[in-house]
Amino acid sequence: MPDSSPVNLNIPGSFLQKTCTVVVVFCALHLSVTVLYYFNTFEIIKNSVFARNQQQKHINFTTVYPTTMLQIAPITETTATFKTEAEETKRKELEQCAETSPLLVGPLRVEFSQPVDLEESKKQNPALQEGGRFTPRDCKALQKVAVIIPFRNREEHLKYWLYYLHPILQRQQLDYGVYVIHQYGEETFNRAKLLNVGYAEALKEYDYDCFVFSDVDLIPMDDRNIYKCFGQPRHIAVSMDKFGFSLPYQQYFGGISSLSKEQFEKINGFPNNYWGWGGEDDDIYNRIVSKGMGISRPDGTVGKCRMIRHNRDKKNEPNPQRFDRIAHTRETMNGDGINSLSYKVVEIKKNTLFTEIIVDIGSPRR
Ligand code: BGC
């Protein structure tokens, strides 16, 4: 008689069940690893796209580092520069730009981990005119600003400066030009004299009414720190990472500052005889105060700046005479300044992103 009991039927069934369970668990595991990996990669891409394009207008004013994806189209529509005479006439008829530009985005991410490329900066700033000039298209700028950068052997820093600053200055709706004043030869560096040269040369080109003097290695971390002039000479780099985001001392006037034409003339410009590092900015501060002016500053948050780290340049060693000179600003300033400036322009090169003026400023009187 055949055996009708279901004895062996359970054995293959439970084997199949176990195999299925293992396969399902494996698939679930695989899926979660894939999903996790996908989100991580997306985060990295998102962050790097942001780091490269954070300079464009963004709507969120409150977050320190906005994280949404940004429009990556360069500023063209609202800020393209007028080129023809008819357009220039039209510009003259334009209304003044707003006291506070509506294009500002607030805090910016500034970093120097990835190299930047001049060609990319050119593409990002199609509205620039030769020589690093820009004029807002839709309104008449409140000020005509020459940005003066004293320079020697800092090509890499200049690339970062141009990359970060052009979009910022355009969002600030300034009618501006960038002048890189390149000290010719091997003589000891003289920052303040180069700044005087920048002032004089920029005025030969255009009727600027405001002058911003900036070191090449300083980048503002907030575009509300406006590169323009105020009722009093302005200290712009008030909160540098190098000094723990505060002033190293109350009278500090270094890094980035701005003076109107009138303010600059009132103090007879800057000293010409500070060769080497240090003191010239203190002399400028003394000049300002001795003419009865004060210093205007943004608050510590808006005034944050990053400095590109570097070793001390050769031929820019600390100037041992600086303490003595600072002590005598009042006596020297009327005879040493823009009224006693002498130099020889070696070459002027017009680049899309800036005007380079190579200048022989001589040597210290020994
Ligand atoms: C120098 C200044 C310099 C400041 C901060 C002072 O001792 O005289 O020129 O900007 O230190 O480094």
Side-chain angles (χ1 to χ4, degrees):
M1 226 176 118
D3 187 352
S4 58
S5 60
V7 188
N8 286 328
L9 287 180
N10 265 346
I11 298 163
S14 97
F15 176 71
L16 205 65
Q17 212 172 0
K18 276 183 190 156
T19 314
C20 282
T21 312
V22 169
V23 168
V24 167
V25 168
F26 180 77
C27 285
L29 217 83
H30 187 262
L31 193 69
S32 10
V33 169
T34 313
V35 166
L36 256 166
Y37 182 75
Y38 170 79
F39 277 115
N40 270 345
T41 318
F42 179 70
E43 197 58 32
I44 290 164
I45 292 171
K46 194 175 79 172
N47 282 344
S48 75
V49 167
F50 171 67
R52 310 280 304 168
N53 296 297
Q54 53 75 37
Q55 304 174 43
Q56 304 302 327
K57 176 160 170 51
H58 185 263
I59 311 119
N60 190 344
F61 277 70
T62 51
T63 43
V64 175
Y65 296 135
T67 47
T68 46
M69 293 288 253
L70 303 170
Q71 56 177 75
I72 51 171
I75 306 174
T76 43
E77 221 181 89
T78 54
T79 49
T81 313
F82 284 99
K83 290 204 168 73
T84 66
E85 226 172 85
E87 281 173 322
E88 178 59 22
T89 318
K90 196 172 153 204
R91 191 179 69 77
K92 282 186 185 141
E93 289 162 7
L94 285 175
E95 275 189 28
Q96 291 235 306
C97 296
E99 194 54 44
T100 305
S101 164
L103 304 174
L104 301 179
V105 302
L108 306 168
R109 176 179 287 187
V110 175
E111 55 184 52
F112 310 115
S113 52
Q114 288 176 15
V116 294
D117 173 49
L118 284 185
E119 289 311 310
E120 194 187 322
S121 295
K122 284 182 197 167
K123 277 190 219 139
Q124 288 286 323
N125 297 283
L128 286 181
Q129 278 183 316
E130 199 191 49
R133 288 277 293 110
F134 173 83
T135 309
R137 187 183 124 160
D138 291 343
C139 58
K140 193 161 182 258
L142 298 179
Q143 295 191 6
K144 291 174 269 182
V145 182
V147 186
I148 316 281
I149 302 173
F151 181 86
R152 191 163 67 185
N153 295 334
R154 297 277 200 92
E155 281 73 15
E156 287 311 306
H157 295 183
L158 182 59
K159 283 183 197 169
Y160 282 116
W161 193 96
L162 296 164
Y163 172 77
Y164 279 113
L165 263 297
H166 272 302
I168 294 175
L169 297 171
Q170 287 167 56
R171 289 201 300 272
Q172 294 184 348
Q173 297 190 311
L174 301 167
D175 178 3
Y176 74 87
V178 174
Y179 295 86
V180 173
I181 315 300
H182 183 163
Q183 182 171 337
Y184 176 76
E186 299 300 318
E187 191 47 89
T188 306
F189 197 65
N190 187 332
R191 176 178 184 266
K193 187 165 184 181
L194 291 170
L195 297 179
N196 275 341
V197 171
Y199 172 88
E201 289 298 311
L203 273 180
K204 286 183 189 167
E205 281 202 347
Y206 191 50
D207 183 23
Y208 291 108
D209 44 33
C210 172
F211 299 81
V212 171
F213 303 97
S214 174
D215 287 351
V216 70
D217 53 7
L218 280 174
I219 311 292
M221 296 172 71
D222 193 309
D223 64 6
R224 292 169 298 177
N225 195 359
I226 312 293
Y227 277 41
K228 68 170 187 177
C229 289
F230 292 77
Q232 302 292 318
R234 179 84 162 176
H235 186 215
I236 292 175
V238 299
S239 184
M240 284 162 57
D241 57 352
K242 176 186 173 184
F243 300 125
F245 293 111
S246 60
L247 286 172
Y249 50 95
Q250 256 316 306
Q251 297 80 1
Y252 179 60
F253 197 63
I256 316 167
S257 57
S258 74
L259 280 87
S260 68
K261 191 171 177 226
E262 202 185 316
Q263 291 161 354
F264 188 88
E265 278 170 4
K266 201 165 170 181
I267 62 168
N268 190 24
F270 297 166
N272 294 304
N273 62 355
Y274 282 75
W275 297 87
W277 181 89
E280 82 297 339
D281 45 358
D282 303 311
D283 190 289
I284 296 166
Y285 176 87
N286 290 345
R287 287 173 182 238
I288 291 168
V289 173
S290 80
K291 291 291 172 185
M293 294 185 283
I295 304 293
S296 133
R297 287 189 169 118
D299 69 51
T301 307
V302 167
K304 279 181 152 187
C305 295
R306 255 193 214 302
M307 196 184 97
I308 308 169
R309 297 269 159 197
H310 58 89
N311 299 327
R312 191 174 292 288
D313 297 302
K314 286 193 193 105
K315 287 293 197 173
N316 194 22
E317 283 76 30
N319 172 10
Q321 296 172 343
R322 67 187 188 281
F323 304 106
D324 185 51
R325 293 213 192 283
I326 298 163
H328 296 99
T329 307
R330 278 172 194 264
E331 297 107 83
T332 54
M333 63 179 284
N334 294 328
D336 173 30
I338 198 72
N339 67 354
S340 63
L341 176 68
S342 76
Y343 62 90
K344 253 188 240 133
V345 170
V346 176
E347 193 178 354
I348 298 183
K349 292 183 189 169
K350 291 279 178 191
N351 189 301
T352 313
L353 298 166
F354 62 99
T355 296
E356 180 182 6
I357 301 180
I358 304 172
V359 61
D360 182 351
I361 55 170
S363 328
R365 254 184 277 139
R366 308 216 194 249

